[in-house]
Amino acid sequence: MIFHVLLHCFYMLSIIILDCEALFGGLDESVVKLDRYNVRRLEVQHILNNRVKRIVNWHVLIFQYIQSVSSVFGPVLVYQVSLSSVAICLAAYQVAHNLDEGKFNIIFVTLLTATCLQLWIPCYLGTLIRNKAFTVADAIWESGWNETPLSLLIRTDMMIIILRSHNPITIKFTALPNLELETFSSVSIYMSIK
């Protein structure tokens, strides 16, 4: 279930990035030179504000969504990481011991593979979400703001979105480091040393 929830967050971030790419699309750039209270300029300002509002609302929603996922699945993930660590260690010992004796036990190899995969999937998705969230700032930066005078109308909003995007979106819980590939590799390396 957590796989689907995290994948949903990933695609929500993709939608935000698409909205960033279309931020200035189809708008009349000449309104920037008009009087501040001109009807045409106010209409374009309103359209831009609505586009930015949609991006900000979705972005805030994802932060809240990941926070909810962390609070709901956090305790389960702590146990999963802890128990997977023990299972990886025991299964790896059995595989190594059997190989030293010249035997190959498919059951322990399968258990080791499944346990590693069970730990790797949420960590991989956590890394994908973190990296995709950082690309929101890049998408705003590359939205074409430097090619259009319309950016003067929403420059402050764009800077706030970029600054907010630099806060990582991570799945975390009190006793668990951030759910990322770094966590998976640290568990795997720690277990291989023991």
Side-chain angles (χ1 to χ4, degrees):
M1 175 162 170
I2 192 168
F3 174 79
H4 299 300
V5 170
L6 296 178
L7 207 54
H8 179 70
C9 289
F10 178 79
Y11 286 115
M12 285 173 57
L13 285 165
S14 298
I15 291 171
I16 290 174
I17 291 169
L18 289 174
D19 275 352
C20 292
E21 292 171 359
L23 189 60
F24 299 108
L27 297 176
D28 183 14
E29 296 177 359
S30 65
V31 298
V32 174
K33 297 176 184 174
L34 296 175
D35 182 45
R36 184 176 209 171
Y37 300 105
N38 186 289
V39 175
R40 282 184 40 223
R41 180 180 170 140
L42 290 174
E43 287 173 0
V44 170
Q45 178 77 47
H46 182 70
I47 292 169
L48 272 173
N49 287 344
N50 283 340
R51 290 179 181 180
V52 169
K53 183 179 177 182
R54 184 176 56 223
I55 290 170
V56 169
N57 286 341
W58 278 76
H59 202 222
V60 168
L61 183 69
I62 289 174
F63 274 94
Q64 292 171 346
Y65 196 64
I66 291 294
Q67 186 177 7
S68 296
V69 167
S70 295
S71 65
V72 170
F73 290 105
V76 174
L77 291 171
V78 169
Y79 290 117
Q80 181 178 353
V81 169
S82 302
L83 294 177
S84 293
S85 303
V86 173
I88 289 170
C89 185
L90 293 174
Y93 173 77
Q94 284 297 324
V95 168
H97 181 69
N98 286 337
L99 288 175
D100 281 344
E101 294 179 356
K103 300 176 190 173
F104 183 77
N105 191 334
I106 191 71
I107 293 174
F108 283 115
V109 171
T110 305
L111 176 66
L112 179 62
T113 304
T115 307
C116 286
L117 194 60
Q118 180 183 7
L119 181 60
W120 180 80
I121 288 173
C123 290
Y124 178 70
L125 288 173
T127 302
L128 278 179
I129 290 170
R130 180 197 64 193
N131 294 344
K132 189 67 135 180
F134 285 140
T135 60
V136 170
D138 295 338
I140 286 287
W141 184 256
E142 296 168 1
S143 65
W145 65 271
N146 56 340
E147 299 168 359
T148 179
L150 290 173
S151 64
L152 296 172
L153 302 176
I154 58 167
R155 186 171 292 171
T156 306
D157 298 332
M158 292 173 59
M159 289 189 311
I160 291 171
I161 295 170
I162 289 172
L163 288 173
R164 179 68 169 135
S165 296
H166 283 85
N167 290 342
I169 295 178
T170 55
I171 302 161
K172 53 188 164 198
F173 193 69
T174 305
L176 180 71
N178 294 342
L179 197 61
E180 301 168 342
L181 283 177
E182 291 83 2
T183 304
F184 174 77
S185 62
S186 66
V187 167
S188 300
I189 290 171
Y190 179 74
M191 289 300 125
S192 66
I193 292 173
K194 293 241 173 187

